Amino acid sequence: MDDAFGETVGRRMRSLLPARADLAAMGRHPRRDLLAGLTVAIVALPLALGFGISSGLGAAAGLATAVVAGALAAVFGGSALQVTGPTGAMTVVLVPIVHAHGASGVLMVGLLAGGLLVLLALARAGRYMALVPASVIEGFTLGIACVIALQQVPAALGVPAPSADRVTVAAWQAVQEFLDAPHWPALIIAVAVASLMLAGARLRPTWPFSLIAVALATVLAELAVLPVARIGQLPAALPAPSLSFVDLGAVPGLMAPALAVAALAALESLLSASVADGMSVRHRHDPDRELLGQGLANLAAPLFGGVPATGAIARTAVNVRAGASSRLAALTHAAVLAAVVFAAADLVARVPLAALAGVLLATCVRMVEVGSLTAMVRSTRSDALVLVLTALATVALDLVQAVVLGLVVAGAMSLRAIAASVRLDTVSLRSDLPDDSDQEHALLAEHIVAYRLDGPLVFAAAHRFLLELTEVADVSVVILRMSRVTTIDASGALVLKDAITRLEHRAITVLVSGIRDQHHQPLRALGVITRLDREGRVFAGTPEAITAARSLLHADGRLPASTARDG
């Protein structure tokens, strides 16, 4: 047994590892991929610095994550176009972890989350991420944008970050502190950087305005000797890998945050990979391999002091638009950022924090697609409710709770729609009679009623079905026509059994016809039709059931012999 299990795991792992085709693809258009990687690196640099600072571990942690996680995910991930690094959504999750467990706790959480992602890859869980409703994703994205923007308020106003756990409270405290002692240079820098990025994106979409805006802000701050906070000294090299942060005793207390980080990494990475598929013509990602790549990236990043990483939608989109065709582009992005660490650490240290806040504020604005949100809100009331609740929960609670709430509400709405789609219709027996005699039909109508069940007989609709069916009156035989039942679950089967029992207690004979082949097993396993089948009351088609019903009524003396025919 153990050998078979080990062989299965080994086979799955081998199927998820890089293949020769990946290497061959990297040699087809190297110049185009190198240019795309350089373009992405220029866009990613200020984002990596900003998200590293926002997470609470510093700019160096953001750079280390972009380099280490970006390179490993490029090699082992399931998308040839995906770019991985620190993201705003992950930052939102990490801030409370930093407050509760410190920097070492964040590194431990990243390590645990990486292991969980590898296990998800081996379990082939990638396909299930596609089941998350679009309304949940849109609300989640809107909520993340709001949270990231709120996180930037202290740096944009030039005040120290308050110690409050909730971003809304911290942002309000920062505003109050600014109003007590206004600090205009930081606010001007943040607004100018954000404005230049947003305006530039409209006028020259291909230009790296984030880097241009940060560079201009840094030069002006230096020349004018503005009193604004800077990033500060960065290491001139990546730190040596270390496991000194590992504390096995802290694992039980960190498993819940690790599950949250792993869930977010999986969700955001697979969403980003799907976006890349939609932007390209022939490329399609492997969701399970993508989970493996993200898992290995998150296992390695903490060893170098990096924060947990995910596939980054904005950077991936830039990569695709820049002409990337293989993994070489994402690898080049990581290599360029590594070169920045080695060669330009002193220059990066002089960047004002307010400039990075402006970059992230502009990023938040660009994350929110007003047209998509408007269309989603107008589509159905259910989608609008799920979107709004998910967004509000993301701001007021946390990301995992928000996604869970969104999924629960979306599931409830879907079940409500399913319940409403199930029909129990009284149907005419005329088309199923051996002849069209009006007299015979009239006699039958006095004693026999046929109901056609249409749709899925599942727990969401079972109760309503029971109420409708057991209200039948003044009949001797009920025929349940089940050929149009699409799905039966245990709850639906048990309710069907209960309905049959209640009808029989009222001396109404129940016949069943048209059960689909795949529905026999659950109905027999739960004892719904076992007795009926034994008594000869289960039929392949409705005409046979009608003939049997007429024979029963004739035998009981409730139907004249002239109208009875034996089957």
Side-chain angles (χ1 to χ4, degrees):
M1 179 69 72
D2 291 340
D3 292 342
F5 176 76
E7 183 178 348
T8 300
V9 172
R11 185 168 58 251
R12 286 188 178 180
M13 180 62 81
R14 287 192 294 273
S15 69
L16 297 174
L17 292 176
R20 290 184 178 179
D22 299 322
L23 184 61
M26 292 169 62
R28 290 182 188 138
H29 306 287
R31 183 174 178 276
R32 194 166 69 185
D33 286 331
L34 290 172
L35 289 174
L38 177 61
T39 303
V40 176
I42 292 172
V43 172
L45 176 59
L47 294 175
L49 296 171
F51 289 135
I53 293 170
S54 295
S55 70
L57 267 68
L63 277 175
T65 304
V67 173
V68 177
L72 284 173
V75 174
F76 293 97
S79 172
L81 307 177
Q82 177 93 284
V83 178
T84 295
T87 64
M90 188 62 73
T91 298
V92 174
V93 174
L94 296 180
V95 170
I97 300 176
V98 173
H99 287 161
H101 303 283
S104 61
V106 172
L107 300 180
M108 274 295 295
V109 164
L111 199 67
L112 293 171
L116 290 172
L117 287 168
V118 172
L119 292 177
L120 286 174
L122 294 176
R124 305 289 192 187
R127 72 194 80 173
Y128 299 111
M129 294 298 170
L131 301 179
V132 179
S135 54
V136 174
I137 294 173
E138 290 287 350
F140 177 73
T141 304
L142 175 60
I144 287 172
C146 293
V147 172
I148 296 172
L150 290 171
Q151 286 178 339
Q152 307 315 310
V153 171
L157 297 178
V159 300
S163 58
D165 291 338
R166 297 293 179 190
V167 291
T168 50
V169 176
W172 177 245
Q173 291 177 353
V175 170
Q176 289 181 316
E177 187 172 346
F178 175 81
L179 293 176
D180 291 337
H183 185 74
W184 297 108
L187 180 58
I188 292 172
I189 288 176
V191 172
V193 168
S195 300
L196 180 58
M197 283 184 61
L198 294 174
R202 286 180 174 274
L203 299 174
R204 293 288 186 272
T206 59
W207 288 24
F209 277 99
S210 59
L211 188 63
I212 294 171
V214 169
L216 289 175
T218 304
V219 171
L220 291 174
E222 288 292 303
L223 294 177
V225 195
L226 296 178
V228 291
R230 313 300 176 102
I231 288 178
Q233 192 61 43
L234 292 174
L238 289 176
S242 171
L243 288 171
S244 59
F245 61 88
V246 172
D247 180 6
L248 297 180
V251 170
L254 294 174
M255 279 308 299
L259 285 169
V261 168
L264 177 60
L267 179 64
E268 190 172 11
S269 297
L270 293 177
L271 175 61
S272 176
S274 298
V275 170
D277 289 350
M279 295 178 65
S280 60
V281 177
R282 299 178 181 177
H283 180 265
R284 291 294 176 268
H285 75 282
D286 181 335
D288 296 317
R289 185 176 168 187
E290 182 61 28
L291 290 180
L292 177 66
Q294 295 298 328
L296 295 177
N298 280 288
L299 282 172
L303 305 184
F304 297 87
V307 298
T310 74
I313 296 177
R315 277 158 273 181
T316 299
V318 170
N319 194 38
V320 177
R321 286 198 296 262
S325 62
S326 75
R327 300 169 189 273
L328 181 59
L331 276 172
T332 302
H333 140 269
V336 171
L337 292 180
V340 170
V341 173
F342 284 100
D346 291 339
L347 293 176
V348 174
R350 303 304 302 165
V351 173
L353 293 180
L356 295 182
V359 170
L360 298 186
L361 287 171
T363 301
C364 294
V365 173
R366 295 173 66 179
M367 283 175 65
V368 179
E369 297 184 7
V370 177
S372 178
L373 287 175
T374 304
M376 188 70 65
V377 169
R378 290 178 176 174
S379 60
T380 65
R381 291 182 179 180
S382 298
D383 286 325
L385 177 62
V386 170
L387 189 153
V388 172
L389 283 179
T390 305
L392 291 176
T394 302
V395 177
L397 303 173
D398 65 47
L399 299 193
V400 176
Q401 290 176 337
V403 171
V404 170
L405 176 63
L407 290 174
V408 169
V409 175
M413 293 296 180
S414 298
L415 290 174
R416 181 170 173 267
I418 290 173
S421 70
V422 179
R423 295 198 309 274
L424 183 69
D425 299 327
T426 305
V427 294
S428 172
L429 297 172
R430 180 180 298 274
S431 61
D432 295 304
L433 292 174
D435 58 56
D436 288 330
S437 168
D438 291 339
Q439 180 183 7
E440 186 170 27
H441 181 69
L443 289 170
L444 285 171
E446 293 179 7
H447 303 281
I448 302 173
V449 173
Y451 284 100
R452 182 174 62 218
L453 281 69
D454 198 339
L457 187 59
V458 294
F459 74 94
H463 181 67
R464 183 169 64 84
F465 157 76
L466 174 64
L467 292 178
E468 291 183 22
L469 184 58
T470 53
E471 286 177 357
V472 62
D474 300 327
V475 298
S476 298
V477 179
V478 167
I479 300 175
L480 298 180
R481 305 176 62 172
M482 300 184 61
S483 60
R484 295 191 182 183
V485 175
T486 56
T487 303
I488 298 178
D489 69 357
S491 297
L494 290 174
V495 166
L496 178 62
K497 181 180 180 181
D498 191 16
I500 293 172
T501 301
R502 293 190 187 192
L503 290 172
E504 290 178 335
H505 282 169
R506 293 166 51 198
I508 297 175
T509 302
V510 179
L511 308 180
V512 182
S513 70
I515 299 174
R516 294 186 179 186
D517 292 341
Q518 65 267 32
H519 297 160
H520 279 279
Q521 174 59 30
L523 292 176
R524 285 200 175 98
L526 294 169
V528 179
I529 61 170
T530 305
R531 179 175 53 82
L532 298 181
D533 202 8
R534 188 168 58 248
E535 295 174 1
R537 289 195 274 155
V538 178
F539 303 91
T542 303
E544 297 95 321
I546 294 174
T547 301
R550 295 169 62 241
S551 298
L552 287 171
L553 294 179
H554 170 62
D556 291 341
R558 289 175 286 179
L559 190 66
S562 61
T563 64
R565 291 184 173 85
D566 293 330

